[in-house]
Amino acid sequence: MSGYWTALLLALMPAGGNLLGGLLAEFLRVSQRSLSFALHAAAGILFAVIGIELMPEALEGATP
């Protein structure tokens, strides 16, 4: 039964994070600079993940 509770806890973590993030966004005001930094950081993380996912396929391909 321990595996069941672990899986349930791991499945509920994103929902809890989403709830806490929504509450923080409602009650805290951020500056334009902070918002810009957060959006640029999110875009950088997205590009890094895409690069890591595509790199093995790119290395397996024929050289130009």
Coordinates of all heavy atoms in Angstrom, one line a residue:
M1 N 0.8 -1.2 0.0 CA 0.0 0.0 0.0 C 0.9 1.3 0.0 O 0.4 2.3 -0.4 CB -0.9 0.0 1.2 CG -2.1 0.8 1.1 SD -3.2 0.3 -0.2 CE -4.7 1.0 0.3
S2 N 2.1 1.1 0.4 CA 3.0 2.3 0.4 C 3.2 2.9 -1.0 O 3.3 4.1 -1.1 CB 4.3 1.9 1.0 OG 5.2 3.0 1.0
G3 N 3.3 2.0 -2.0 CA 3.5 2.5 -3.3 C 2.3 3.3 -3.8 O 2.4 4.3 -4.6
Y4 N 1.1 2.9 -3.4 CA -0.1 3.6 -3.8 C -0.1 5.1 -3.2 O -0.4 6.0 -3.9 CB -1.3 2.9 -3.3 CG -2.6 3.6 -3.5 CD1 -3.2 3.7 -4.7 CD2 -3.2 4.3 -2.4 CE1 -4.4 4.3 -4.9 CE2 -4.4 5.0 -2.6 CZ -5.0 5.0 -3.9 OH -6.2 5.7 -4.1
W5 N 0.3 5.2 -2.0 CA 0.3 6.6 -1.3 C 1.4 7.4 -1.9 O 1.2 8.6 -2.1 CB 0.4 6.4 0.2 CG -0.8 5.9 0.8 CD1 -1.0 4.7 1.4 CD2 -2.1 6.5 0.8 NE1 -2.3 4.5 1.8 CE2 -3.0 5.6 1.5 CE3 -2.6 7.7 0.4 CZ2 -4.3 5.9 1.7 CZ3 -4.0 8.0 0.6 CH2 -4.8 7.1 1.3
T6 N 2.5 6.8 -2.3 CA 3.6 7.6 -2.9 C 3.1 8.1 -4.3 O 3.4 9.2 -4.6 CB 4.8 6.7 -3.0 OG1 5.2 6.2 -1.8 CG2 6.0 7.4 -3.7
A7 N 2.5 7.2 -5.1 CA 2.0 7.6 -6.4 C 1.0 8.7 -6.2 O 0.9 9.7 -7.0 CB 1.5 6.4 -7.1
L8 N 0.1 8.6 -5.3 CA -1.0 9.6 -5.1 C -0.4 10.9 -4.7 O -0.8 12.0 -5.2 CB -1.9 9.1 -4.0 CG -3.2 10.0 -3.8 CD1 -4.0 10.1 -5.0 CD2 -4.0 9.4 -2.6
L9 N 0.6 10.9 -3.8 CA 1.3 12.1 -3.4 C 2.0 12.8 -4.5 O 1.9 14.0 -4.7 CB 2.3 11.8 -2.2 CG 3.1 13.0 -1.7 CD1 2.2 14.0 -1.0 CD2 4.2 12.6 -0.8
L10 N 2.7 12.0 -5.3 CA 3.4 12.6 -6.5 C 2.4 13.1 -7.5 O 2.7 14.1 -8.2 CB 4.3 11.5 -7.1 CG 5.5 11.1 -6.3 CD1 6.3 10.0 -7.0 CD2 6.5 12.3 -6.1
A11 N 1.3 12.5 -7.7 CA 0.3 13.0 -8.6 C -0.4 14.3 -8.1 O -0.8 15.1 -8.9 CB -0.8 11.9 -8.8
L12 N -0.5 14.5 -6.8 CA -1.1 15.7 -6.2 C -0.2 16.9 -6.1 O -0.6 18.0 -5.9 CB -1.7 15.3 -4.9 CG -3.0 14.4 -4.9 CD1 -3.4 14.1 -3.5 CD2 -4.1 15.1 -5.7
M13 N 1.1 16.6 -6.2 CA 2.1 17.7 -6.1 C 1.9 18.8 -7.1 O 1.9 20.0 -6.8 CB 3.5 17.2 -6.1 CG 3.9 16.6 -4.7 SD 5.5 15.8 -4.7 CE 6.5 17.2 -5.0
P14 N 1.7 18.5 -8.4 CA 1.5 19.6 -9.4 C 0.2 20.4 -9.1 O 0.2 21.6 -9.3 CB 1.4 18.9 -10.7 CG 2.1 17.6 -10.5 CD 1.9 17.2 -9.1
A15 N -0.8 19.7 -8.7 CA -2.1 20.4 -8.4 C -1.9 21.4 -7.2 O -2.4 22.5 -7.2 CB -3.2 19.4 -8.1
G16 N -1.1 20.9 -6.2 CA -0.9 21.8 -5.0 C 0.0 22.9 -5.4 O -0.3 24.1 -4.9
G17 N 1.0 22.7 -6.2 CA 1.8 23.8 -6.7 C 1.0 24.8 -7.5 O 1.2 26.0 -7.4
N18 N 0.1 24.3 -8.3 CA -0.7 25.2 -9.1 C -1.6 26.0 -8.2 O -1.8 27.2 -8.5 CB -1.5 24.4 -10.1 CG -2.1 25.2 -11.2 OD1 -1.8 26.4 -11.4 ND2 -2.9 24.5 -12.0
L19 N -2.2 25.4 -7.2 CA -3.0 26.1 -6.3 C -2.3 27.2 -5.5 O -2.7 28.4 -5.4 CB -3.7 25.2 -5.3 CG -4.5 25.8 -4.2 CD1 -5.8 26.4 -4.8 CD2 -4.9 24.8 -3.1
L20 N -1.1 26.9 -5.0 CA -0.3 27.8 -4.3 C 0.2 29.0 -5.2 O 0.2 30.2 -4.8 CB 0.9 27.2 -3.6 CG 0.6 26.3 -2.4 CD1 1.9 25.6 -2.0 CD2 0.0 27.1 -1.3
G21 N 0.6 28.6 -6.4 CA 1.0 29.7 -7.4 C -0.2 30.6 -7.7 O 0.0 31.8 -7.8
G22 N -1.4 30.1 -7.9 CA -2.5 30.9 -8.2 C -2.8 31.9 -7.0 O -3.2 33.0 -7.2
L23 N -2.8 31.3 -5.8 CA -3.0 32.2 -4.6 C -1.9 33.3 -4.5 O -2.3 34.5 -4.2 CB -3.0 31.4 -3.3 CG -4.2 30.4 -3.2 CD1 -4.1 29.5 -2.0 CD2 -5.5 31.3 -3.1
L24 N -0.7 32.9 -4.7 CA 0.4 34.0 -4.7 C 0.1 35.0 -5.8 O 0.3 36.2 -5.5 CB 1.7 33.3 -4.9 CG 2.3 32.6 -3.7 CD1 3.6 31.9 -4.1 CD2 2.6 33.6 -2.6
A25 N -0.3 34.6 -7.0 CA -0.5 35.6 -8.0 C -1.7 36.5 -7.7 O -1.7 37.6 -8.2 CB -0.8 34.8 -9.3
E26 N -2.6 36.0 -7.0 CA -3.8 36.9 -6.6 C -3.4 37.9 -5.6 O -3.9 39.0 -5.6 CB -4.9 36.0 -6.1 CG -5.7 35.3 -7.2 CD -6.5 36.3 -8.0 OE1 -7.0 37.3 -7.5 OE2 -6.5 36.1 -9.3
F27 N -2.6 37.6 -4.6 CA -2.3 38.4 -3.5 C -1.0 39.2 -3.5 O -0.9 40.2 -2.8 CB -2.4 37.6 -2.2 CG -3.8 37.1 -1.9 CD1 -4.0 35.7 -2.0 CD2 -4.9 37.9 -1.7 CE1 -5.3 35.2 -1.8 CE2 -6.1 37.4 -1.5 CZ -6.3 36.0 -1.5
L28 N -0.1 38.8 -4.4 CA 1.2 39.6 -4.5 C 1.2 40.3 -5.8 O 0.9 39.8 -6.8 CB 2.4 38.6 -4.4 CG 2.6 37.9 -3.1 CD1 3.8 36.9 -3.2 CD2 2.8 38.9 -2.0
R29 N 1.7 41.5 -5.7 CA 1.9 42.3 -6.9 C 3.4 42.3 -7.3 O 4.3 42.5 -6.4 CB 1.5 43.8 -6.7 CG 0.0 43.9 -6.5 CD -0.7 43.6 -7.8 NE -2.2 43.4 -7.5 CZ -2.9 42.5 -8.0 NH1 -2.5 41.7 -8.9 NH2 -4.2 42.5 -7.7
V30 N 3.8 42.1 -8.5 CA 5.2 42.1 -8.9 C 5.4 43.2 -9.9 O 4.5 43.7 -10.6 CB 5.5 40.7 -9.6 CG1 5.5 39.6 -8.6 CG2 4.7 40.4 -10.8
S31 N 6.6 43.6 -10.0 CA 7.0 44.7 -10.9 C 7.1 44.2 -12.4 O 7.2 43.0 -12.6 CB 8.3 45.4 -10.5 OG 9.3 44.4 -10.7
Q32 N 7.1 45.0 -13.3 CA 7.2 44.6 -14.7 C 8.6 44.0 -14.9 O 8.7 43.0 -15.7 CB 7.1 45.9 -15.6 CG 5.7 46.3 -15.9 CD 4.9 45.2 -16.6 OE1 4.0 44.7 -16.0 NE2 5.2 44.9 -17.8
R33 N 9.6 44.4 -14.2 CA 10.9 43.9 -14.4 C 10.9 42.4 -13.9 O 11.5 41.5 -14.5 CB 11.9 44.7 -13.6 CG 13.3 44.2 -13.9 CD 14.3 45.2 -13.3 NE 15.7 44.7 -13.6 CZ 16.8 45.2 -13.1 NH1 16.7 46.2 -12.2 NH2 17.9 44.7 -13.4
S34 N 10.3 42.2 -12.7 CA 10.2 40.8 -12.2 C 9.5 39.9 -13.1 O 9.8 38.7 -13.3 CB 9.6 40.8 -10.8 OG 10.4 41.5 -9.9
L35 N 8.4 40.4 -13.6 CA 7.5 39.6 -14.6 C 8.3 39.3 -15.8 O 8.3 38.1 -16.3 CB 6.3 40.3 -14.9 CG 5.3 39.6 -15.8 CD1 4.8 38.3 -15.2 CD2 4.2 40.5 -16.2
S36 N 9.0 40.3 -16.4 CA 9.8 40.0 -17.5 C 10.9 39.0 -17.3 O 11.2 38.1 -18.1 CB 10.5 41.4 -18.0 OG 11.3 41.1 -19.1
F37 N 11.6 39.1 -16.1 CA 12.6 38.1 -15.8 C 12.0 36.7 -15.7 O 12.6 35.8 -16.2 CB 13.3 38.5 -14.4 CG 14.3 37.5 -14.0 CD1 15.5 37.5 -14.6 CD2 14.0 36.6 -13.0 CE1 16.5 36.5 -14.2 CE2 14.9 35.7 -12.6 CZ 16.2 35.7 -13.2
A38 N 10.9 36.6 -15.0 CA 10.3 35.3 -14.9 C 9.9 34.7 -16.2 O 10.1 33.5 -16.5 CB 9.0 35.4 -14.0
L39 N 9.3 35.5 -17.1 CA 9.0 35.0 -18.5 C 10.2 34.6 -19.3 O 10.2 33.6 -20.0 CB 8.1 36.0 -19.2 CG 6.7 36.2 -18.6 CD1 6.0 37.4 -19.3 CD2 5.9 35.0 -18.7
H40 N 11.3 35.4 -19.2 CA 12.5 35.0 -19.9 C 13.1 33.8 -19.3 O 13.7 32.9 -20.1 CB 13.5 36.2 -19.9 CG 13.2 37.3 -20.9 ND1 12.3 38.3 -20.6 CD2 13.6 37.5 -22.1 CE1 12.3 39.1 -21.7 NE2 13.1 38.6 -22.6
A41 N 13.1 33.6 -18.0 CA 13.6 32.4 -17.4 C 12.8 31.2 -17.9 O 13.4 30.1 -18.2 CB 13.6 32.5 -15.9
A42 N 11.5 31.3 -17.9 CA 10.6 30.2 -18.4 C 10.9 29.8 -19.8 O 11.0 28.6 -20.2 CB 9.2 30.5 -18.2
A43 N 11.1 30.8 -20.7 CA 11.4 30.6 -22.1 C 12.8 29.9 -22.2 O 13.0 29.0 -23.0 CB 11.4 31.9 -22.9
G44 N 13.8 30.3 -21.4 CA 15.1 29.7 -21.4 C 15.0 28.2 -21.0 O 15.7 27.4 -21.6
I45 N 14.3 27.9 -20.0 CA 14.1 26.5 -19.5 C 13.5 25.7 -20.6 O 13.9 24.6 -20.9 CB 13.3 26.5 -18.2 CG1 14.2 27.1 -17.1 CG2 12.9 25.1 -17.9 CD1 13.4 27.3 -15.8
L46 N 12.4 26.3 -21.2 CA 11.8 25.6 -22.3 C 12.7 25.2 -23.5 O 12.8 24.1 -24.0 CB 10.6 26.4 -22.8 CG 9.7 25.8 -23.9 CD1 9.0 24.6 -23.3 CD2 8.8 26.8 -24.5
F47 N 13.5 26.2 -23.9 CA 14.5 26.0 -24.9 C 15.5 24.9 -24.5 O 16.0 24.1 -25.3 CB 15.2 27.3 -25.3 CG 14.4 28.1 -26.2 CD1 14.3 29.5 -26.0 CD2 13.6 27.6 -27.3 CE1 13.5 30.3 -26.8 CE2 12.9 28.4 -28.1 CZ 12.8 29.8 -27.8
A48 N 16.0 24.9 -23.3 CA 16.9 24.0 -22.8 C 16.3 22.5 -22.8 O 17.0 21.6 -23.2 CB 17.4 24.3 -21.4
V49 N 15.1 22.4 -22.4 CA 14.5 21.1 -22.4 C 14.3 20.6 -23.8 O 14.6 19.4 -24.1 CB 13.1 21.1 -21.7 CG1 12.3 19.8 -21.9 CG2 13.4 21.3 -20.2
I50 N 13.9 21.4 -24.7 CA 13.7 21.0 -26.1 C 15.1 20.7 -26.7 O 15.2 19.7 -27.4 CB 13.1 22.2 -26.9 CG1 11.6 22.4 -26.5 CG2 13.2 21.9 -28.4 CD1 11.0 23.6 -27.1
G51 N 16.1 21.4 -26.4 CA 17.4 21.1 -26.9 C 17.9 19.7 -26.4 O 18.5 18.9 -27.1
I52 N 17.7 19.5 -25.1 CA 18.1 18.2 -24.6 C 17.4 17.0 -25.2 O 17.9 16.0 -25.4 CB 18.0 18.2 -23.0 CG1 19.0 19.1 -22.4 CG2 18.1 16.8 -22.4 CD1 18.9 19.4 -21.0
E53 N 16.1 17.2 -25.4 CA 15.3 16.2 -26.1 C 15.7 15.9 -27.5 O 15.6 14.8 -28.0 CB 13.8 16.5 -26.0 CG 13.2 16.4 -24.6 CD 13.2 15.0 -24.1 OE1 12.9 14.1 -24.9 OE2 13.4 14.8 -22.9
L54 N 16.0 16.9 -28.2 CA 16.4 16.8 -29.7 C 17.8 16.5 -29.9 O 18.1 16.0 -31.0 CB 16.0 18.0 -30.4 CG 14.5 18.4 -30.5 CD1 14.3 19.6 -31.3 CD2 13.7 17.2 -31.1
M55 N 18.7 16.7 -29.0 CA 20.1 16.5 -29.2 C 20.5 15.1 -29.6 O 21.3 14.9 -30.6 CB 20.9 17.0 -28.0 CG 22.4 17.0 -28.3 SD 22.9 18.0 -29.7 CE 22.6 19.7 -29.1
P56 N 20.0 14.0 -29.0 CA 20.4 12.7 -29.4 C 20.0 12.4 -30.8 O 20.8 11.7 -31.5 CB 19.6 11.8 -28.4 CG 19.4 12.6 -27.2 CD 19.2 14.0 -27.7
E57 N 18.8 12.8 -31.3 CA 18.4 12.6 -32.6 C 19.3 13.3 -33.6 O 19.7 12.9 -34.7 CB 17.0 13.0 -32.8 CG 16.0 12.1 -32.1 CD 14.6 12.5 -32.3 OE1 14.3 13.1 -33.4 OE2 13.8 12.3 -31.4
A58 N 19.7 14.5 -33.2 CA 20.6 15.3 -34.1 C 21.9 14.7 -34.2 O 22.6 14.8 -35.3 CB 20.6 16.8 -33.6
L59 N 22.4 14.2 -33.1 CA 23.8 13.5 -33.2 C 23.8 12.2 -33.9 O 24.8 11.8 -34.5 CB 24.3 13.3 -31.8 CG 24.6 14.6 -31.0 CD1 25.0 14.3 -29.5 CD2 25.7 15.4 -31.7
E60 N 22.7 11.5 -34.0 CA 22.6 10.3 -34.7 C 22.5 10.5 -36.3 O 22.8 9.6 -37.0 CB 21.4 9.5 -34.3 CG 21.5 8.9 -32.9 CD 20.3 8.2 -32.5 OE1 19.3 8.1 -33.2 OE2 20.3 7.7 -31.3
G61 N 22.0 11.6 -36.7 CA 21.8 11.9 -38.1 C 23.1 12.0 -38.8 O 24.2 12.1 -38.3
A62 N 23.0 12.0 -40.1 CA 24.2 12.1 -41.0 C 24.8 13.6 -40.9 O 24.0 14.5 -40.8 CB 23.8 11.8 -42.5
T63 N 26.1 13.7 -41.0 CA 26.7 15.0 -41.0 C 26.5 15.7 -42.3 O 26.5 15.1 -43.4 CB 28.2 14.9 -40.7 OG1 28.8 14.0 -41.7 CG2 28.5 14.2 -39.4
P64 N 26.3 17.0 -42.3 CA 26.0 17.7 -43.5 C 27.3 17.8 -44.4 O 28.3 17.7 -44.0 CB 25.6 19.1 -43.1 CG 26.0 19.2 -41.7 CD 26.2 17.8 -41.1

